[in-house]
Amino acid sequence: MDAAEFRKRGKEMVDYIADYLEKIDKRQVFPDVEPGYLRPLIPDCAPQDPESFEDVFKDIEKIIMPGVTHWHSPYFFAYFPAASSFPALLADMLCGGIGCVGFSWAASPACTELETVMLDWLGKMINLPEAFLAGKDGQGGGVIQGSASEATLISLLAARTKTIRWLQSEKPELTEADIMSRLVAYASDQFCATLGTTPCCSFDKLLELGPICNKENIWMHIDAAYAGSAFICPEFRHLLNGVEFADSFNFNPHKWLLVNFDCSHWQIPLGRRFRSLKLWFVLRMYGVTGLQEHVRKHVRLSHQFEHLVLQDGRFEICAEVVLGLVCFRLKGSNELNKALLKSINEAKKIHLVPCHLREKFVLRFAICSRTVESTHIKFAWQHISQLATDLLKTWEQNHHQQ
């Protein structure tokens, strides 16, 4: 493929992606495939001779799309949002086009410097204390990691290194092995100090945890993977109070700030992509107000769903609805709720996943898509409500017979 063909095919691909996203609500949100579906559809080894772009392109709809879960569908309410926006997609193209491997400043100065500045922009948007920012000569600063899991691992490694160095200066007679064998990491059942836990979006009390960590000289890491993006709205910023006690903090713009996945110098891999371009494009083309409106819309829609659930006496809400997640269930056994989730996901009109809260099997309804509207929420609730009605009829009959 030469530059002339790339121009032509690039336009075709942009059209394909725009059509896909524009008409995504017409596609079944969850695929009709079994594990292993793909292998029989493609040759068992790579082709000896080159194939045409047309051949490859045809196979997207034939082979790939039948096995895609459509995360950006307005009927996708599972997990947490995986943000996407057109400015971010364009930035991803540019990132791939420049194709630098930014393992040091000299390897690509813009790659290193834009990332430092973009992370300061984000830090200021959520009012992080000055100490967290790089500034012109600050001691802080942020780095984009691939995921919250990587960010947490990096923080753990940093905390361990800092503790070892401190102990070695206090007690030079101790070897690194002596120290390592005695180190202790404190965690809750959600791992670390968390703002917006995965099962139910609950918030740890930083103002209680923080002073204890500081007094005992314990490194405190805060994981706000999902909820962190909401702190750009002044009405949710109080949820971050106590961050001043922390040593490290992470959140995922790719969950809620319309920046495509893998956006969260200190890192596991040596090389890294020019990922800050996505932040730069999105923050400039939406502005803080546009992103605040996106977050607020999702929160409004979650409260709309909560309100619908509360009007139905058969259901209960299982955790306070703070942001864009509603945890709910039918009043009754875990088996009943497992059966309800099974019927929802087998119908494939919408997609949900469960969690366990204090031994209870709970359904999670997460507002995810950039294009989700009030009508999709009403549709989802009517659908769930009808399936519950059908299920309860058969459930009662079966249990009476027994």
Side-chain angles (χ1 to χ4, degrees), residues 74-317:
Y75 300 110
F76 182 91
F77 301 105
Y79 314 105
F80 275 131
S84 175
S85 65
F86 294 121
L89 290 170
L90 292 173
D92 244 350
M93 276 178 79
L94 181 59
C95 171
I98 293 173
C100 63
V101 183
F103 53 81
S104 68
W105 180 86
S108 198
C111 181
T112 298
E113 295 198 12
L114 187 65
E115 188 165 318
T116 306
V117 179
M118 285 305 99
L119 275 279
D120 273 6
W121 277 20
L122 275 182
K124 288 173 183 167
M125 281 164 65
I126 61 172
N127 261 327
L128 278 182
E130 196 68 29
F132 279 91
L133 306 179
K136 287 196 177 63
D137 48 11
Q139 295 296 299
V143 178
I144 297 175
Q145 304 292 342
S147 67
S149 327
E150 268 177 71
T152 304
L153 175 59
I154 298 292
S155 303
L156 204 52
L157 295 174
R160 186 180 73 177
T161 304
K162 186 182 174 189
T163 307
I164 290 169
R165 282 183 188 160
W166 173 71
L167 281 166
Q168 282 174 329
S169 68
E170 293 286 302
K171 300 178 178 171
E173 71 279 6
L174 288 178
T175 66
E176 195 167 313
D178 290 333
I179 297 169
M180 291 276 268
S181 64
R182 299 184 200 175
L183 292 179
V184 176
Y186 292 87
S188 73
D189 61 359
Q190 307 295 328
F191 190 78
C192 62
T194 308
L195 300 177
T197 56
T198 302
C200 63
C201 197
S202 59
F203 292 81
D204 285 333
K205 294 188 167 75
L206 300 186
L207 292 167
E208 293 175 22
L209 283 171
I212 297 167
C213 291
N214 285 190
K215 181 167 162 271
E216 301 293 340
N217 203 14
I218 295 170
W219 180 297
M220 180 161 88
H221 175 65
I222 298 172
D223 183 340
Y226 162 69
S229 298
F231 307 150
I232 67 170
C233 301
E235 64 269 32
F236 299 123
R237 174 58 180 77
H238 67 275
L239 296 167
L240 187 54
N241 289 350
V243 70
E244 58 275 15
F245 296 109
D247 296 88
S248 52
F249 168 84
N250 80 271
F251 80 106
N252 294 12
H254 71 242
K255 281 205 168 73
W256 217 0
L257 282 189
L258 305 174
V259 178
N260 289 22
F261 183 65
D262 103 339
C263 188
S264 180
H265 356 294
W266 307 303
Q267 58 185 13
I268 299 292
L270 177 63
R272 68 176 187 281
R273 303 188 311 122
F274 202 163
R275 296 185 281 205
S276 55
L277 284 170
K278 289 192 283 195
L279 278 173
W280 194 45
F281 274 44
V282 169
L283 298 182
R284 289 181 68 184
M285 293 176 75
Y286 277 90
V288 176
T289 50
L291 294 169
Q292 286 172 333
E293 183 40 48
H294 172 67
V295 168
R296 285 172 181 145
K297 176 179 123 176
H298 274 196
V299 176
R300 277 197 306 275
L301 292 175
S302 73
H303 284 298
Q304 179 191 344
F305 186 80
E306 175 192 28
H307 185 65
L308 291 166
V309 175
L310 289 171
Q311 287 176 316
D312 188 327
R314 303 172 300 173
F315 285 87
E316 59 187 347
I317 295 283

